[in-house]
Amino acid sequence: MNIEKNVKTFETITSETLIIGVQKHREQMKNWSLFSQFFGETIDVWLRNGEINTDAQKLTKIPYSDVNAQLKRIIFVGLGEQKNNTTDNLREAFATVGKEMKSSKISNVAIWMDSFATDRINEEEVAYLAGEGLYLGYYTTPNYKTTSNEVDAYFDEVQFVTTATIEEVATNFEVGKIYADAVNEARTLINLPPNILTATELANYAVEMATKYNFEIEVLNKAQLEEIGMGGILAVNRGSVEEPRLITIKYQATPKWENVIGLVGKGVTYDTGGYSLKPKDGMVGMKGDMGGAAAVLGAMQIIGATRPNQNVLAVIGATDNMVSGDAIKPDDVITMYNGKTVEVLNTDAEGRLVLADATTYAKQQGASCLIDVATLTGGVIVALGHDKTGALTNDEAFFEEFMEAAIEKGEFVWRLPLTNNDKKRIRKSDVADLNNSPGRDGHMIFGGGFVGEFAEETPWIHLDIAGTSDASAPHVLGPKGGTGVMVRTLATLVEQRAND
C-alpha cells in the first residue's frame, strides 16, 4: 500500500478517482471555493439543483475530463447536515465509498480532506476515519467458488489534498488502515469453514502472528493440557478427533511484567451442541463460534503493529464441540483447572467451560485485569438483538474505562446485572461446586456469570458477542458474515491505558 506523503492539489493528483464530501450547506464547507474554481461554476449549479446528492452516505459519481488529464472520475459523498456529523457517521461514509471502490475495481484514490472536516473533527481525525472506513467497506467475504474468472481488485494507493500537516494526515490514515486490516483478518477467520480452521490451524495462525510481531507465544497441546489438569477444555474436546489447543500470547512493553491487561477468547471452531444437540438450522453458522478468539487475535494484530506502552496477555482456548461415544454428557461432573468441580447440565453450554480454564490460566500468567470475549449465548440475542454486545463486570471503574473505548469506536455495548441471586443459581448443585446451565431465563447472565466465578476478585469484564459477531446481511461497515466486532474497542482500550 502506497500512502503518498506529498501534498497534492486538484491539479497535481495522479489518481484516477477523487473523493469529496458534500454537506447540505456548502457555505459551511472549508475551502469549497478552491474546488469550485478548479471544477468550474457548474458544480455549484448541480448542487443547487440536487444533481449531487448531499444526503448522508449517498454517493454521486461523475466523469471528469478537463484540467487534470489523469483524473477520470469524482465520487461525491453525501454528509447531510454538518451539525449531525460524528466520527461514526464519517467512518460509515468512507465505508460506503470503500464498497463502491471494490465493486467498481478502483484501486487508487485521492481524498480532499478539508471537505470532510468540521468544527469538531479536524483533518487528522478525518484521515484516521478514512483509513478505517475505506478498508472496512472494501472487504469482501472470501469464497471457494470455482466458476469466477474475474481478477480481484486491491486498494493500493491513496493521495491527499489537504491544508493540514501531510505527515500527520498520512500517519493517521495508516493507523486507521491498521485497525481495519485487523478487523478484516478477524472477519476472515470467522468466515473460514470448520474443516479448514481447526484448533490446530488456529494455533498455527497465532504462531505466525507472534513471529511477525515478535510476541512471546506458548501453545499447549492435548497431552500438555492433560498433564496440568485443564478439565474444562478437555471435557469439551472429548467428543472430537481434533486435538484442543491453549494459545497464550504475551506482549511485554515495559521492563517489568506488571499492570497486564488480559484478553481471553473463546475459540470453539465448531459447535454441534454435543449431546445437547443443536437443531439442524441452529447448527448452520456455528463455524463462527470462535468469534471471541478472532476478536482477541485481531486486537493483538493492532497491538503488534502500533506497539503501545502497555503489557498485554492473550489466552485462547481452542477446540470444537462434537458428538461421539466418548463425549461428555449431561450429568457428568468435571474438575476444572483451578480445582472447582462442575456438574454438566447442558453440553451446549460448553463455551463457558473453555473460557473458565483460559481465565484461570490468564490469571496465573500475570493478568491484572481480564476481558473475556465470546459468542456465548443465544440469550444475549433475545435480550439485546443482533446489534448490541452484552456485558457483565465485577468492577465499575474498569467497565467505565472500557466503555470510553467502545463509545469512541462506535461499538454498542450494554451492561446487564449480575446479582447475588444469579451467583447462587450458578453455584447450585447437589454434586459439584457449580453447574454450567442454571436455566433458560437470564441465560446470558448465567453464561457470563459462570466465567466470573473463575475471574474471582480480579477486575473482569465479560463480553457476549453472539449477536454482533456475525451479520446475516450486508451492513454499512461490511458484508454478510463475520463482523470482527470488539477488535477495535479492545485495541483502543490498550492504547488508552498506554497513554495514561
Side-chain angles (χ1 to χ4, degrees):
M1 173 67 182
N2 177 34
I3 301 174
E4 181 63 59
K5 295 185 179 178
N6 293 315
V7 178
K8 299 293 183 179
T9 66
F10 298 120
E11 292 78 13
T12 61
I13 57 176
T14 56
S15 295
E16 294 185 349
T17 304
L18 173 63
I19 301 172
I20 294 178
V22 284
Q23 299 172 12
K24 285 285 186 186
H25 307 290
R26 65 184 181 281
E27 65 271 11
Q28 297 178 346
M29 294 178 59
K30 184 178 178 181
N31 297 327
W32 176 258
S33 60
L34 294 177
F35 178 71
S36 184
Q37 292 168 15
F38 166 74
F39 191 90
E41 295 180 357
T42 310
I43 192 66
D44 295 303
V45 175
W46 287 350
L47 279 168
R48 279 197 301 270
N49 293 343
E51 299 294 331
I52 295 175
N53 197 335
T54 60
D55 290 341
Q57 298 178 27
K58 298 296 183 182
L59 304 183
T60 306
K61 186 165 63 173
I62 64 171
Y64 175 87
S65 58
D66 201 341
V67 177
N68 187 328
Q70 292 182 281
L71 183 62
K72 303 299 183 187
R73 68 190 67 84
I74 300 174
I75 298 177
F76 293 95
V77 189
L79 300 177
E81 298 276 358
Q82 186 182 102
K83 65 182 180 181
N84 296 328
N85 274 341
T86 64
T87 55
D88 291 345
N89 293 343
L90 283 183
R91 182 186 296 110
E92 292 175 355
F94 281 115
T96 303
V97 177
K99 290 182 179 182
E100 172 62 27
M101 289 173 58
K102 186 68 174 183
S103 64
S104 299
K105 294 183 169 56
I106 296 172
S107 61
N108 61 83
V109 297
I111 308 170
W112 183 24
M113 308 306 294
D114 292 2
S115 66
F116 292 93
T118 70
D119 294 339
R120 303 179 306 279
I121 306 171
N122 62 31
E123 286 87 342
E124 289 83 359
E125 290 177 279
V126 169
Y128 171 85
L129 295 167
E132 193 174 74
L134 287 171
Y135 277 90
L136 289 174
Y138 204 81
Y139 176 82
T140 55
T141 305
N143 65 66
Y144 302 88
K145 296 181 180 180
T146 59
T147 55
S148 175
N149 294 317
E150 289 188 27
V151 177
D152 203 359
Y154 298 94
F155 180 13
D156 56 18
E157 184 177 56
V158 64
Q159 300 176 352
F160 306 104
V161 179
T162 183
T163 55
T165 305
I166 186 63
E167 289 80 8
E168 292 187 16
V169 168
T171 297
N172 281 16
F173 183 91
E174 184 174 9
V175 173
K177 178 183 180 297
I178 286 169
Y179 271 69
D181 284 345
V183 172
N184 292 337
E185 278 290 305
R187 289 170 168 177
T188 296
L189 284 173
I190 293 167
N191 292 327
L192 284 173
N195 60 320
I196 293 176
L197 187 67
T198 62
T200 300
E201 288 305 311
L202 187 63
N204 290 342
Y205 176 91
V207 169
E208 289 179 11
M209 174 189 290
T211 301
K212 179 177 180 179
Y213 293 113
N214 197 29
F215 294 145
E216 181 182 338
I217 187 165
E218 173 192 71
V219 178
L220 300 183
N221 60 27
K222 184 175 181 178
Q224 291 167 315
L225 295 176
E226 289 173 339
E227 185 176 342
I228 64 174
M230 198 157 281
I233 294 175
L234 289 167
V236 175
N237 181 254
R238 271 173 45 187
S240 179
V241 297
E242 294 286 345
E243 282 205 358
R245 293 290 186 268
L246 185 75
I247 305 160
T248 304
I249 302 171
K250 290 184 179 180
Y251 168 71
Q252 185 164 349
T254 65
K256 290 185 178 180
W257 185 243
E258 60 187 11
N259 185 28
V260 179
I261 297 177
L263 305 178
V264 179
K266 172 187 171 183
V268 175
T269 57
Y270 196 76
D271 181 18
T272 66
Y275 273 105
S276 304
L277 195 66
K278 294 180 183 293
K280 172 176 63 68
D281 292 339
M283 214 176 291
V284 176
M286 282 297 105
K287 65 182 181 181
D289 210 21
M290 36 59 65
V296 169
L297 289 170
M300 293 305 296
Q301 179 173 322
I302 295 171
I303 290 161
T306 58
R307 317 302 289 186
N309 189 37
Q310 170 63 51
N311 295 325
V312 184
L313 172 74
V315 180
I316 293 167
T319 180
D320 50 7
N321 183 25
M322 306 296 285
V323 182
S324 78
D326 197 38
I328 57 168
K329 310 168 293 299
D331 288 340
D332 280 358
V333 174
I334 61 176
T335 302
M336 305 296 286
Y337 180 50
N338 72 346
K340 290 183 179 180
T341 56
V342 176
E343 180 183 9
V344 177
L345 299 179
N346 181 357
T347 64
D348 197 20
E350 87 298 332
R352 64 202 70 180
L353 302 176
V354 173
L355 284 171
D357 274 355
T359 295
T360 300
Y361 199 75
K363 289 168 59 182
Q364 283 191 353
Q365 297 301 308
S368 309
C369 57
L370 294 161
I371 302 177
D372 78 80
V373 194
T375 50
L376 202 65
T377 67
V380 75
I381 301 173
V382 174
L384 300 177
H386 287 276
D387 60 342
K388 306 170 195 71
T389 292
L392 301 174
T393 189
N394 65 2
D395 191 287
E396 297 284 346
F398 185 33
F399 188 72
E400 288 179 12
E401 181 185 6
F402 166 81
M403 283 303 298
E404 288 180 14
I407 291 168
E408 179 180 326
K409 292 306 170 189
E411 296 194 303
F412 196 105
V413 179
W414 191 258
R415 177 184 171 185
L416 282 81
L418 177 60
T419 68
N420 286 330
N421 283 336
D422 298 323
K423 295 174 183 178
K424 287 177 182 178
R425 290 185 63 181
I426 295 167
R427 297 166 185 166
K428 185 179 180 180
S429 172
D430 293 334
V431 295
D433 299 318
L434 307 169
N435 78 82
N436 80 326
S437 186
R440 296 297 299 173
D441 59 314
H443 191 203
M444 179 271 174
I445 295 170
F446 294 139
F450 182 92
V451 183
E453 293 292 311
F454 296 80
E456 296 176 317
E457 300 305 314
T458 304
W460 159 79
I461 296 169
H462 165 70
L463 300 174
D464 193 335
I465 59 172
T468 51
S469 181
D470 188 87
S472 59
H475 53 101
V476 65
L477 292 180
K480 175 183 177 181
T483 64
V485 71
M486 287 297 118
V487 168
R488 295 179 296 123
T489 293
L490 293 175
T492 300
L493 174 67
V494 172
E495 180 186 350
Q496 288 176 349
R497 275 280 181 99
N499 294 333
D500 284 347

